[in-house]
Amino acid sequence: MEQLAERGLTTAEVAERTARGQVNEVRRRSSRSLSAIVRANVLTLFNGVIAVLWALIMIFGQWQDGLFGLVIVANSAIGIVQELRAKRTLDRLAVVNEAPVRVRRDGVDVEIPPRRVVLGDLVLLGPGDRLLVDGEVVGSDGLELDESLLTGEADPVHKLPGDPVLSGSFVVAGTGSHVATKVGGDAYAARLAQEASAFNLSHSELRTGITAFIKYITWLVVPIGALLIWSQLRKADDFGQAITGAVAGIVTMIPEGLVLMTSIAFAVGVIRLGRRRCLVQELPAIEVLARVDVLCLDKTGTLTSGGMSLGEVRPLRDDLPAREALAALANLDETPNPTVQAIRAENPESPPGWTATAKVPFSSARKWSGAEFAGRGAWVLGAADILLTPGTPEYAQAEELAATGLRVLALGRTASLDTSADLGPVEAAAIVVLRQRIRPEAATTLSYFARQGVAIKIISGDNPESVSAIAVSLGVPGGRHAVDARTLPENDPDKLAEILDTTTVFGRVTPHQKRLFVSALQSRGHTVAMTGDGVNDVLALKDADLGVAMGSGSGATRAVAQIVLMDDDFTSLPSVVAEGRRVLANIERVSSLFLTKTFYALVLSLLAGLLGLVFPFAPRHSTLVNALTIGVPAFFLALAPSDERARPGFVPRVLRLAIPWGVVCALAVHLSYWLAEARASTLEESRTAAVITLFVVTWWVLVLIARPYLWWRVALVAAMAALFALAVAIPFTREFFALAPGNLGDDLVAIGIGIVASAVLTVVFKIGRSPDKSRGHNGPTDTLEV
């Protein structure tokens, strides 16, 4: 084992184990395989039903009535292409996002991609590293792991040589190394992921709602479809006509395009965010973006840029070697955090005679690090308000500096470094001042969220006064009132939630408290997004409805986040939120179109079945009308901009309009067909009258859905009407779609019925939106454009 710790595996050993397949090959969380994408778009229940119906038309009917089969092929192809584009975007960004693993091979420390780790590799660990494979500890220098994502225990676990470690945990303090004993699918975290017990997908109300639509519609289609087939076989003059009528009703009932539009909207959202260098690791995260109403921001790395610079060192006592001690502490860590890096930049070498005999690594829970030096005593460096004694001049001096937005540390000498007990009295030796660079775009971004009604919570482990100063400089409402998290009632969730609702800025927040903050806000019905870049943010990111990590953050942070901002660009957050709102608002919009079609088909099928009537139109008629009033417009509407924050209640809001609209459309079409038949018109003329009415009412549904009337929406709606008029006017298309508009009386009556029904649809629309307006919301058809 000692020899392995010195040199690691040899090149020959690595090649041999790679050839045996003993490598850390696991499926990326953000991507589906090509076969899975094809299956999801082709092998669906609706596609199976439509394929059977298409075959029946090809056997017993006319080929023109089988046009709907080609539409399904086109839909599946479009869905596959868009998902493949999204997959390429995700895979490309996922490769960039993967934190390299440090291993020792042939005695040299190298960084390799996670997928190149082999069984038996010596993996080196530092603060913020996530363990990707199981192993056994070989070296430990104050190594502490957080295993809470696996065990639920929040306290860090000290690891010594010989201790087992599990993938999915992450380093919170110290350094060390372990030998990989299980890799790839055999590793603990990979097995948990397969069992869906560790890394769950974000909850998706949209996905749940559409699944519910499909389930209920399937239950309705089976009995109503059977009734329609029975009635058509009894009423029609021949078997082919009966099959054609039954297929027309059943095909129209199926909202096959709804699933397609949802997939395309999500896929395009992934592609758009990918162009902004945002990696979406869970697809439902795009939907959660639209629902966010509280955004918790970690100050360091989010509002401020990741780097810091050493401002000054203020010695407090002439008899203590403060500068030498500071330089010695700064040069102890092999993997220094940004604070130590800033100090080391000005003190690149450890002074002679300062040999460490013991050390305690920094952790966010302790907020200090330290070491004992031979003949020099024990020295600590950490948060000034933690190490200094309140009421002393040096404490007041540190508080005064912190109030200007500077990061203030204290350096001191102590009698003991025992982490299991209180640190004890500290002899203050110096105050260390670090300058933080505020991101120039932060103020504009925060202002955007304020306008959008998203509450901001600035949460930091720093001094509350320092955090407050930065919040005030950025114009954050309530920024002057900062709360010290050490005074919060952790054991009273209700009281904590009340304070969080009324307060914006919090300092001295521990990693455990960040997690409590998220839980308390969620208990008040908030949808919480959390940003972070450090290992102290991991637990809160995991528990938040949406975790957003910075690309330069720790590997553990990026691993648990649903979205990673690859360029650390805080200004991309508004675009991320806007993309989620666009997807959700527009899917709700087009859902009303598709489900209106489903419900009018269900009602028409019931009327035809119960009254023993011929179904009022053929499959080719529904293909024409549906393409012009649903299919083509839905593509444009689903991808349009939208800035409305999503709200719960997706299913009832859609059904509140789709059901009555479907009933009105069905009654209008049936009346038009019945009146034409009563005037002794031919079957083709009666069906033409029904198709005219059907187009008028469904086109008016499109008009209502397309609000607000921007120029391109008006042009879209007008183009659909013009295309239908051309289809009726041109002899070739008129013959192809079996339209016979020769009976002027039937046609005028059909148009008149359509106009009256459209007025009723408008009334239903206004009534259906009134519950939203009474709560101060606009419906999805009144969203503002950005």
Side-chain angles (χ1 to χ4, degrees), residues 350-674:
S350 182
W354 287 76
T355 304
T357 58
K359 64 179 180 178
V360 176
F362 176 83
S363 80
S364 297
R366 286 190 294 268
K367 303 202 180 297
W368 59 266
S369 62
E372 187 163 347
F373 299 94
R376 306 280 186 173
W379 290 78
V380 290
L381 175 68
D385 54 337
I386 298 292
L387 298 181
L388 301 180
T389 303
T392 60
E394 54 266 23
Y395 188 93
Q397 186 178 352
E399 287 290 291
E400 183 180 345
L401 288 168
T404 64
L406 297 170
R407 191 168 197 172
V408 182
L409 305 179
L411 173 70
R413 190 169 64 181
T414 184
S416 171
L417 291 179
D418 185 4
T419 58
S420 62
D422 290 338
L423 187 60
V426 175
E427 297 179 74
I431 290 176
V432 181
V433 181
L434 297 171
R435 300 189 184 279
Q436 305 174 92
R437 293 186 287 272
I438 297 177
R439 293 184 184 272
E441 69 277 6
T444 304
T445 304
L446 293 177
S447 176
Y448 165 84
F449 284 114
R451 294 194 305 272
Q452 297 301 318
V454 178
I456 298 294
K457 307 294 176 185
I458 299 177
I459 300 172
S460 175
D462 284 357
N463 183 292
E465 296 299 322
S466 175
V467 183
S468 175
I470 289 177
V472 170
S473 70
L474 292 172
V476 176
R480 294 188 181 279
H481 175 57
V483 171
D484 190 324
R486 292 170 293 186
T487 66
L488 293 175
E490 293 187 20
N491 297 323
D492 188 346
D494 291 336
K495 182 64 175 176
L496 179 61
E498 183 180 336
I499 295 172
L500 284 165
D501 265 343
T502 57
T503 309
T504 300
V505 179
F506 299 86
R508 289 292 172 239
V509 184
T510 66
H512 175 64
Q513 284 179 314
K514 289 185 179 183
R515 197 175 194 180
L516 291 179
F517 283 15
V518 170
S519 176
L521 289 166
Q522 289 170 332
S523 71
R524 290 293 179 100
H526 295 296
T527 301
V528 182
M530 176 81 191
T531 70
D533 66 340
V535 68
N536 58 321
D537 301 316
V538 170
L539 301 181
L541 287 173
K542 182 69 173 67
D543 287 352
D545 297 289
L546 181 70
V548 181
M550 297 296 164
S552 63
S554 70
T557 307
R558 302 202 305 271
V560 300
Q562 287 97 347
I563 290 180
V564 180
L565 305 180
M566 303 297 295
D567 290 338
D568 291 358
D569 187 0
F570 185 48
T571 58
S572 61
L573 271 181
S575 300
V576 169
V577 172
E579 191 62 36
R581 293 182 175 184
R582 180 197 64 77
V583 169
L584 205 59
N586 291 336
I587 291 302
E588 186 169 325
R589 186 192 306 273
V590 299
S591 293
S592 297
L593 283 176
F594 283 104
L595 293 178
T596 297
K597 172 179 80 82
T598 293
F599 285 112
Y600 78 63
L602 287 170
V603 175
L604 283 173
S605 299
L606 274 175
L607 290 173
L610 295 176
L611 301 180
L613 301 174
V614 173
F615 197 78
F617 50 80
R620 69 184 79 179
H621 297 142
S622 64
T623 299
L624 172 64
V625 174
N626 293 340
L628 296 179
T629 60
I630 301 174
V632 174
F635 271 103
F636 292 94
L637 295 177
L639 304 179
S642 178
D643 199 28
E644 182 199 13
R645 193 176 79 210
R647 314 177 307 280
F650 163 70
V651 173
R653 273 199 309 276
V654 171
L655 294 182
R656 200 162 60 222
L657 289 175
I659 292 177
W661 275 353
V663 172
V664 171
C665 290
L667 292 178
V669 170
H670 177 72
L671 178 61
S672 182
Y673 178 83
W674 179 76

